[in-house]
Amino acid sequence: MRAATDKSGFALALTRWYASHARDLPWRRTRDPYHVWLSEIMLQQTQVATVIPYYERFLARFSTVEALAAASEDETLKLWEGLGYYARGRNLRRAAQAIVETHQGRFPDTLAGMMALPGVGRSTAGAILTFAMGQAHPLLDGNVKRVLSRLFCFEADVNAPRSQETLWDYSAQLLAPSDDPYAFNQAVMELGATLCTPQAPQCLLCPVKDFCEAAAKGAQHELPRKAVKKPSPHYDIGAAVLWNGDRVLIQQRPRDGLLGGLWEFPGGKREGDETLAETVAREIREELALEIRVRDKLISVKHAYTHFRITLHAFDCDYLGGEPQARCAEAWRWTAPEKLRQFAFPKANNRVIDAILARRQDASTLPGQTTPPHDAPSPALR
C-alpha cells in the first residue's frame, strides 16, 4: 500500500476528478485577463454564490478595463455595495486606472508586475497569471491552505507568518508535476470549496484521500489550526436620521480607512454612561457643528465587522440650526429619502433606509417640518 506521504500521482488524480466534477462558474468560461482579475478580486474572502451576481453586474456595466478606469469611485462603490471589504472596490478602480495609464490597457504578464497593482497579492497574482495566461504559479488562498494543512498534516497555525514559507513550498511541490497548471490550480480550490470544507470534510468522496496524511491519522477534523481569536469588542453607535423639511442629511466617510467613500447617517460611538440620544446630539455637534433635537428611535441594527461588532441605533432628529461643516467626512448633502438608494451605504445603514422608506409608505406625514436653508450639495459634490 502506498504511504500517504507519497504525493506522486496526486496532481493526476486531482485533475481527473476536476474534469468531471467542476462547477460551471462564469469566470471559468473565459481566459480574458480582465474577467479573470475581476473574479479573483471579488472572490477574496467571499463565497462564490455571493460573487456571481456582482461579477455579472460589473461586466454588464463595465465591459472593459478602460470602462472601469473611467468610472467614478462613487459609481464603483455603488455597484460593489453589499459585497463587503470595500477597500477591494476602491483598489479595483485604482488598478484599472494603472493598467490603462501605465500598461496601455494590457495586464502585466509577470508576477512582480501583477503584484504591483493595487489590491493584488501573491496568490491573486498567481491565479490571474495561471487562469488568464497559462503560466504555472502556486496559490495559497484560504481553500488551498485548508487542503494543504490536511494533506501534509501541518499542525502549526496556518495564518502565522512563519508558516507561510512552508505552505508556499507545499503548494509549489504539488503543482510542479502537473502539465496543466490551469486545471490543477482550479482543482485544488474546487476541492477546498466543495469537499475539503472547514466543517465536516467529505473524506469518503475525496478523490485524493489516499494522499492525505491527516485522514490517515484521523486528524482531518482538527486541521487547519488557527490561533484562537480574541472576543470581538462591541460598540453602540448612535446615528441621526436628521430631517430638514422632507430631506435627510447624509455624509460621506473619508476615502481612506474603514468603509472609505461610502455614505452614512452621521453619528458615532457612545461614550461613558451617556444615553444614546445624548450620543447622537454630541456627535452631530462635534462632527457637523449642527444643533438638533433628538426624537424617537427609528431602528436598531446589529452588524459584525472583521474585528468588532456594533449595534447601530438610528434616531429621528429635527434640524434646528447651523451649517454642516463635515469635519469628519469627505462631503455631506441633504437628499430626499427616495434618492437614498442612489448612494452606496454600508449594510447596517441600508437597514435604516429600509425603515425610512417603509414608514413613508405607511404614513402620509413626515417627521420634520422645518424649512430647508438651501437646496445644494456640499461644495465637495458640486
Side-chain angles (χ1 to χ4, degrees):
M1 178 182 290
R2 184 193 56 75
T5 52
D6 178 8
K7 300 298 188 284
S8 59
F10 174 86
L12 180 60
L14 185 62
T15 52
R16 281 179 174 172
W17 167 81
Y18 175 77
S20 57
H21 290 82
R23 291 169 294 174
D24 180 21
L25 303 177
W27 43 85
R28 288 178 175 168
R29 305 172 199 151
T30 179
R31 298 294 180 98
D32 185 318
Y34 172 58
H35 294 200
V36 172
W37 164 71
L38 182 64
S39 69
E40 288 299 323
I41 299 299
M42 289 184 169
L43 287 165
Q44 292 171 353
Q45 299 177 289
T46 307
Q47 294 183 343
V48 164
T50 301
V51 166
I52 289 175
Y54 283 90
Y55 172 81
E56 293 174 341
R57 282 197 293 270
F58 257 81
L59 288 180
R61 177 63 186 85
F62 307 119
S63 60
T64 64
V65 69
E66 289 83 2
L68 178 55
S72 70
E73 183 172 287
D74 286 345
E75 187 177 12
T76 305
L77 289 177
K78 181 60 182 174
L79 270 182
W80 194 274
E81 186 180 43
L83 198 53
Y85 300 98
Y86 287 90
R88 295 181 299 167
R90 297 193 300 274
N91 284 331
L92 194 77
R93 176 174 168 272
R94 290 173 55 211
Q97 291 174 329
I99 292 165
V100 170
E101 296 168 5
T102 305
H103 300 282
Q104 293 74 52
R106 298 179 63 85
F107 278 77
D109 59 2
T110 66
L111 193 67
M114 192 67 73
M115 290 177 64
L117 297 176
V120 179
R122 180 179 174 183
S123 187
T124 299
I128 297 167
L129 292 170
T130 300
F131 302 148
M133 303 179 191
Q135 299 181 20
H137 294 278
L139 307 183
L140 199 61
D141 69 357
N143 284 327
V144 176
K145 284 183 182 180
R146 185 167 57 259
V147 170
L148 294 176
S149 73
R150 290 168 175 165
L151 189 67
F152 289 90
C153 203
F154 184 72
E155 297 190 356
D157 175 5
V158 293
N159 293 323
R162 63 181 177 274
S163 299
Q164 301 309 297
E165 183 177 352
T166 300
L167 293 171
W168 276 112
D169 286 346
Y170 286 159
S171 186
Q173 173 186 327
L174 295 174
L175 172 65
S178 174
D179 58 3
D180 189 347
Y182 178 100
F184 178 83
N185 278 340
Q186 289 281 10
V188 174
M189 293 192 297
E190 187 78 351
L191 184 69
T194 61
L195 297 182
C196 197
T197 52
Q199 307 297 326
Q202 301 180 60
C203 298
L204 294 178
L205 300 177
C206 180
V208 288
K209 62 180 180 296
D210 291 342
F211 299 88
C212 182
E213 296 176 38
K217 298 176 181 179
Q220 65 271 30
H221 297 282
E222 302 168 14
L223 300 172
R225 297 196 191 281
K226 299 179 182 179
V228 178
K229 293 183 178 180
K230 296 180 180 179
S232 298
H234 174 269
Y235 304 106
D236 282 306
I237 307 296
V241 179
L242 181 53
W243 292 94
N244 189 351
D246 61 352
R247 295 174 301 164
V248 293
L249 185 72
I250 58 174
Q251 66 181 24
Q252 189 176 34
R253 295 180 63 88
R255 294 186 183 275
D256 294 328
L258 179 69
L259 306 176
L262 297 186
W263 291 81
E264 65 181 0
F265 297 98
K269 296 178 187 176
R270 176 159 63 176
E271 295 182 356
D273 58 358
E274 66 185 0
T275 67
L276 288 166
E278 290 170 342
T279 297
V280 174
R282 174 184 54 76
E283 287 287 342
I284 300 306
R285 185 168 55 253
E286 293 176 355
E287 286 191 15
L288 294 164
L290 296 180
E291 292 301 320
I292 67 172
R293 177 171 53 247
V294 182
R295 298 194 294 104
D296 297 332
K297 183 187 291 188
L298 173 64
I299 189 175
S300 290
V301 181
K302 294 182 178 180
H303 187 70
Y305 293 95
T306 305
H307 301 297
F308 62 95
R309 297 170 294 112
I310 68 166
T311 302
L312 178 66
H313 307 273
F315 286 78
D316 282 314
C317 301
D318 294 324
Y319 166 79
L320 299 180
E323 182 74 9
Q325 300 300 311
R327 296 172 182 173
C328 302
E330 185 81 10
W332 58 267
R333 71 182 303 164
W334 297 102
T335 189
E338 293 76 13
K339 295 182 179 180
L340 289 170
R341 298 293 191 202
Q342 298 175 10
F343 302 87
F345 281 87
K347 188 173 183 179
N349 278 249
N350 270 313
R351 292 277 305 281
V352 178
I353 296 174
D354 291 341
I356 293 170
L357 297 181
R359 183 177 59 188
R360 285 174 68 85
Q361 250 185 340
D362 296 338
S364 58
T365 60
L366 296 172
Q369 296 300 327
T370 56
T371 303
H374 51 71
D375 190 39
S378 65
L381 293 174
R382 290 179 185 176

